[in-house]
Amino acid sequence: MQEHIKSIEEKIEELNQKRERIQLGGGQERIDKQHAGGSLTARERITALVDQDSFLESGLFAEHRCTNFGMQGKPMPADGVVTGAGSVDGRLVHLACQDFTVGGGSAGEVHCRKIVQMMQASLKTGSPFIVVNDSGGARIQEGIESLSGYGQVFYNNVMLSGVVPQISLICGPCAGGAAYSPALTDFIIQTRSACMFITGPSVIKAVTGEEVTAEQIGGPAAQMNISGVVHFVAEDDRDAMAICRRLLSFLPSNNLEDPPQWEAEEVILPDKYLNSIIPVDSRQSYDVRDVVSRLVDRADFMEVQEHFARNIVIGFARIQGRSVGIVANQPAVMAGVLDIDASDKAARFIRFCNAFNIPLVTLVDVPGFLPGVEQEYGGIIRHGAKMLFAYSAATVPKITVVMRKAYGGAYLAMCSKDLDADRVISWPTAEIAVMGAEGAVDVIFRNEIRKSDDPKAKRQELIAEYKESFSTPYAAASAMKVDDVIEPAETRRYLAMSLDILHSKREFRPQKKHGLIPL
């Protein structure tokens, strides 16, 4: 009997059938279940993220090699993760998207190898790496091989760090060791229905006796508001992809490039609204985001970690088309004081901006570091030092605007001239001093006030004198700690001109492996 030799048409038909079967992932029933839960499939997420028809898949036919615990011959299409390259707004990205319809998105040897290959491709091509997490965790049947796979992912996260931007999207479960890979990336975007934690409710109950839900320990409210692990919260999968696209628009593709530059306004007119935005009474609060919106292009400010350590505001914006990182005290929350969480939040953001050539604009209205036993026991000295380290180590253009209070060590930590800020400007409302006038007078003139015929009147008189002599920007300007005192209405123009002048800044530091930030 003569063996039938397949024609090229038959082979192509076989290929197309295989591709269609694999691209269905875990099958239509599981896809329907994914949709019923309000989630997109892995391939639908990729379609929502990248430019139309730009995705080129890699590793479609990859399969596991496990033969243990009933895994032999068990199909795992694409081994539960879709990997490849595409473009976002015309710029190359590499990505990996876990497919929960295939084995619950569990990660085994081949699954992790596919992710690592994309990470290494990002490194070679200087393109951002994006990973979408939706997985039940390590593939237990593969034992040490799955753990080894995670270890390789972690190692490559570190190799990519500071070279290309890394963004993690949490669109489903992300538990156990799997959560450490997102923690090693630059930004985490979590959907409201997703959960991320190291130990789940059942393990916590068994070990500690505490009863909690997955949402309580791993939902976006916990991981954004309390732990500060998450940077953005998305309503659903499509919103997560939109946030990712917007974030990428502010970032360069790698550490050797400048961020994308957009078209600038021809003329910047004075903004008189800024002249009255700061309350005359320094005890009154205001929302610093109102200031930010007046300084940046089209009032477009992408705030990072909006609900964590709200006493400091960080985020991305553009000034005359140039991407900038904004760091600003928030007087509307805890009077804008710096504490442990605010210091960590700001320092990490500063270091990211420095790694990727994004100039830093710092808006200062800070009464000091938060006093208290809890803060001291928590290591406020160590955490506050992170800001000093981050700003001092940063070589990107650094421009500081002192709007109102700038007291003591917190003034220094907010990128003072002494931390090598390139430009420090002040508004006439600024109060730059070791401490507030009231506290300073109580220390310096304690005896004089006590011996006075009218201690209360004498104290007010001395406070007024202290403010006139020291709590003004002019004393700092005369000592060249402030480059200029300007009308607030001129701030946007000053920032734009300074960014243009400093664009070619080059700064060299002592040769070393790396500095030792107080972790």
Side-chain angles (χ1 to χ4, degrees):
M1 183 176 176
Q2 187 175 3
E3 182 182 354
H4 173 67
I5 300 175
K6 293 181 181 178
S7 67
I8 186 62
E9 288 80 10
E10 288 175 312
K11 290 186 177 183
I12 290 173
E13 178 61 26
E14 182 183 28
L15 167 65
N16 289 336
Q17 288 176 0
K18 282 180 177 290
R19 294 182 72 91
E20 287 177 13
R21 187 165 60 251
I22 293 171
Q23 288 171 350
L24 263 179
Q28 193 59 51
E29 185 178 336
R30 292 186 181 178
I31 290 173
D32 292 343
K33 188 175 181 181
Q34 188 90 342
H35 288 163
S39 298
L40 300 176
T41 65
R43 295 180 186 279
E44 288 168 343
R45 287 166 177 160
I46 291 171
T47 299
L49 176 63
V50 302
D51 299 339
Q52 187 173 358
D53 299 325
S54 71
F55 182 63
L56 182 63
E57 187 167 353
S58 176
L60 175 70
F61 297 100
E63 272 282 6
H64 69 87
R65 302 185 302 166
C66 183
T67 58
N68 301 323
F69 306 106
M71 289 292 288
Q72 186 168 2
K74 183 177 180 179
M76 300 280 279
D79 208 48
V81 62
V82 183
T83 54
S87 64
V88 174
D89 292 330
R91 295 196 298 155
L92 176 67
V93 299
H94 282 81
L95 55 89
C97 188
Q98 293 181 313
D99 187 350
F100 194 79
T101 70
V102 178
S106 60
E109 174 203 7
V110 174
H111 180 112
C112 291
R113 192 192 307 167
K114 288 181 67 176
I115 295 174
V116 167
Q117 282 185 352
M118 289 304 100
M119 298 170 85
Q120 292 173 344
S122 280
L123 204 57
K124 290 176 182 178
T125 59
S127 54
F129 175 68
I130 302 163
V131 60
V132 181
N133 293 265
D134 188 1
S135 169
R139 194 173 296 163
I140 298 171
Q141 297 93 326
E142 295 194 26
I144 189 64
E145 294 295 345
S146 64
L147 289 179
S148 174
Y150 271 139
Q152 292 170 43
V153 171
F154 301 159
Y155 176 82
N156 281 275
N157 280 135
V158 177
M159 292 303 100
L160 268 62
S161 181
V163 182
V164 296
Q166 299 180 80
I167 303 173
S168 297
L169 293 89
I170 315 298
C171 295
C174 182
Y180 282 117
S181 179
L184 289 168
T185 62
D186 300 310
F187 296 101
I188 300 175
I189 304 166
Q190 182 175 354
T191 64
R192 293 203 178 276
S193 61
C195 282
M196 177 170 57
F197 44 72
I198 298 298
T199 51
S202 59
V203 175
I204 290 175
K205 184 177 181 180
V207 174
T208 70
E210 297 170 287
E211 292 195 14
V212 292
T213 65
E215 170 70 20
Q216 286 173 324
I217 59 167
Q223 296 295 0
M224 163 70 89
N225 304 6
I226 301 171
S227 72
V229 170
V230 168
H231 300 87
F232 303 97
V233 175
E235 294 301 319
D236 53 28
D237 287 354
R238 292 193 185 279
D239 188 35
M241 304 305 148
I243 290 171
C244 184
R245 288 180 65 96
R246 185 184 176 205
L247 175 59
L248 286 167
S249 75
F250 292 99
L251 311 181
S253 292
N254 57 68
N255 66 333
L256 299 180
E257 295 182 5
D258 287 330
Q261 186 164 351
W262 289 22
E263 189 175 345
E265 297 176 20
E266 291 185 10
V267 179
I268 299 177
L269 298 174
D271 184 358
K272 295 295 184 181
Y273 179 79
L274 286 171
N275 288 347
S276 58
I277 203 166
I278 301 289
V280 175
D281 184 349
S282 62
R283 293 170 296 184
Q284 281 189 280
S285 68
Y286 61 94
D287 192 335
V288 77
R289 291 172 296 187
D290 294 338
V291 177
V292 173
S293 69
R294 310 297 294 207
L295 298 178
V296 303
D297 297 354
R298 305 174 190 86
D300 181 19
F301 176 55
M302 187 174 196
E303 187 171 353
V304 177
Q305 290 183 300
E306 179 182 358
H307 301 293
F308 175 68
R310 295 186 302 116
N311 42 320
I312 201 160
V313 170
I314 60 172
F316 297 105
R318 294 180 185 85
I319 296 177
Q320 282 296 80
R322 295 188 190 277
S323 286
V324 295
I326 303 284
V327 180
N329 303 116
Q330 175 57 291
V333 179
M334 298 166 60
V337 71
L338 292 177
D339 63 357
I340 288 171
D341 287 343
S343 299
D344 285 356
K345 174 181 172 179
R348 189 176 190 274
F349 181 73
I350 292 161
R351 286 171 69 80
F352 175 85
C353 290
N354 188 53
F356 290 102
N357 312 312
I358 301 171
L360 288 159
V361 174
T362 305
L363 306 179
V364 184
D365 189 348
V366 62
F369 282 98
L370 182 62
V373 173
E374 184 179 349
Q375 288 289 304
E376 294 295 342
Y377 284 0
I380 184 64
I381 296 172
R382 171 167 45 91
H383 291 275
K386 293 178 187 180
M387 286 190 68
L388 296 166
F389 190 105
Y391 269 129
S392 298
T395 58
V396 293
K398 297 180 287 190
I399 306 171
T400 301
V401 182
V402 183
M403 302 181 297
R404 194 168 64 172
K405 295 176 183 175
Y407 295 160
Y411 150 68
L412 297 174
M414 290 299 293
C415 202
S416 67
K417 198 74 172 175
D418 302 290
L419 298 194
D420 204 31
D422 298 291
R423 296 284 188 277
V424 178
I425 58 172
S426 172
W427 289 358
T429 48
E431 303 172 15
I432 305 172
V434 174
M435 63 174 66
E438 290 82 358
V441 164
D442 289 341
V443 172
I444 300 170
F445 302 107
R446 182 187 297 113
N447 292 333
E448 191 173 336
I449 293 171
R450 190 176 69 247
K451 294 175 183 177
S452 171
D453 293 335
D454 187 347
K456 189 173 182 181
K458 186 63 176 177
R459 181 174 182 270
Q460 292 304 314
E461 177 190 336
L462 291 169
I463 287 172
E465 288 180 11
Y466 185 93
K467 285 185 175 180
E468 185 65 27
S469 301
F470 298 105
S471 298
T472 76
Y474 304 107
S478 68
M480 296 187 68
K481 302 302 181 185
V482 167
D483 294 303
D484 201 357
V485 182
I486 69 167
E487 182 183 347
E490 297 290 343
T491 307
R492 175 169 159 78
R493 178 173 175 272
Y494 188 100
L495 291 175
M497 292 180 69
S498 296
L499 288 167
D500 196 42
I501 292 167
L502 293 167
H503 178 63
S504 58
K505 174 188 174 184
R506 295 291 181 268
E507 192 166 326
F508 301 96
R509 298 297 174 91
Q511 191 173 14
K512 53 186 172 181
K513 270 191 173 183
H514 54 75
L516 299 172
I517 189 168
L519 295 174

